[in-house]
Amino acid sequence: QGKGKGKGKDKGKESSGKGKEKGKSKGKGKAKVEWRPKVEVEGLGRKKIAEMSMEVRDDNPYSRLMALKRMGVVENYEKIRTFSVLIVGIGGVGSVVAEMLTRCGIGKLLLFDYDKVELANMNRLFYRPEQSGMSKVDASLATLKSINPDVEFEAYNRNITTNENYEHLLGRIKNGGMDCKSPVDLVLACVDNYAARMTINQACNELDQTWMESGVSENAVSGHIQTMIPGRYACFECAPPMVVAAGEDESKIKREGVCAASLPTTMGITAGFLAQATLKHLLKFGTVSNFLGYDALGDFFPTYAMAPNPDCGSNQCRKRQQEWKDRPKEAEPEKKAEEAPAELHPDNEWGICVEESTDAVATPEPPKEPKVDTTGTSVADLMASFKKLTSG
């Protein structure tokens, strides 16, 4: 981590220094102006804000978020500050989700990744060229802190699929809440491989932790998010990828030597779905779909529920299924009797009386529009029928 961070800083200093030297040596005309983030130029971003305010002011970063409360969308938006979310995978989807939640004022984010920023990542959102070589958690931490200093962060440059790091992941899920004792409120999986998904699935089944999984297809034109509530919905092992279900080698899921396509549009849309579902789940508004897909080629957004598999290979999943069946049923809220509408003007000060009239003129029926029978017709026949209607 330290090395990645140092390299990123050194590169930034060297590039800005060269720009100054060129400007001075020419002596004529304007010196070359190089763009640098405002935070680096001025030293610090905005100060921390103790409480969210609904006051509509240009310098209030929460005024438009708090408007959700004023408009009746969210009952108590300030509660966002009490939640902690753990994100595994700070890549094309995870980094954008982290930024969105940071801008929304989430209480705490715990970030896990072990990869480095590369120039090959620049077709996506969030990361910048000067961050190349830095670990993704260090690069994202610097950016996110500058966006919103009110959010608490924990960053771990670790591969969660190793035994040691798996135990560390379990510990942070169990004790990563705002008080560092309680569990996190939600886990988000933004990883791109089967092993990491299975690791997160195992940890969340073991701890009875709600989580959301996400993914983008290899050809970059489809994506999905899936809500996993242990015992209620199918876990990742309940409905594994086709290759695994057929008993083939899981390594075939991600083909060796094949460069997967990547579109910032599909990544951003999937990240938006995931961040939106996170807000709805935490703040209790709207409907959180069990599965929501996105097909860019057909502009298709499938959504459906996935029941858990009673024969799931995960013992912990089967245990959670039984617990869900045995849970006490929630009492249905009592329906209030409808009250009769109040009389608007009981005094009738002006003595107004409404009477039915027998001399009312019948309203003529509007002319019926001619209909075209489209059953079994070709496009040419259909267009000919439309021409007759318009010319007649």
Side-chain angles (χ1 to χ4, degrees), residues 38 41 75 95 115 128 149 170 189 289-290 321 326 337 341 351 392:
K38 189 176 180 181
V41 175
E75 187 175 343
S95 62
D115 205 359
R128 304 191 302 271
L170 283 178
S289 298
N290 178 201
Q321 290 182 46
D326 297 340

Side-chain angles (χ1 to χ4, degrees), residues 315-333:
N315 293 330
Q316 291 293 340
C317 176
R318 297 198 302 272
K319 177 183 175 183
R320 299 304 174 197
Q321 290 182 46
Q322 190 60 49
E323 290 174 353
W324 184 262
K325 289 178 183 177
D326 297 340
R327 79 191 190 285
K329 304 297 180 184
E330 296 179 2
E332 293 185 5

Side-chain angles (χ1 to χ4, degrees), residues 65 68 73-74 77 80 96-97 100-101 104 186 188 212 225 227 268-289 292:
L65 293 166
L68 292 167
V73 178
V74 179
Y77 190 85
I80 191 76
V96 180
V97 172
M100 288 180 175
L101 294 178
C104 286
L186 190 64
L188 303 180
M212 293 183 182
I225 64 168
T227 303
I269 290 168
T270 304
F273 281 153
L274 186 57
Q276 188 84 303
T278 298
L279 293 175
K280 290 195 291 182
H281 171 77
L282 296 176
L283 295 173
K284 310 297 182 191
F285 70 97
T287 301
V288 181
S289 298
L292 174 61

Side-chain angles (χ1 to χ4, degrees), residues 253-265:
I253 298 172
K254 194 170 182 180
R255 293 177 291 170
E256 193 68 30
V258 175
C259 179
S262 174
L263 277 173
T265 48

Side-chain angles (χ1 to χ4, degrees), residues 220-239:
V221 291
S222 65
H224 75 273
I225 64 168
Q226 184 175 349
T227 303
M228 311 276 196
I229 301 178
R232 179 180 179 182
Y233 296 137
C235 77
F236 189 73
E237 196 168 347
C238 283

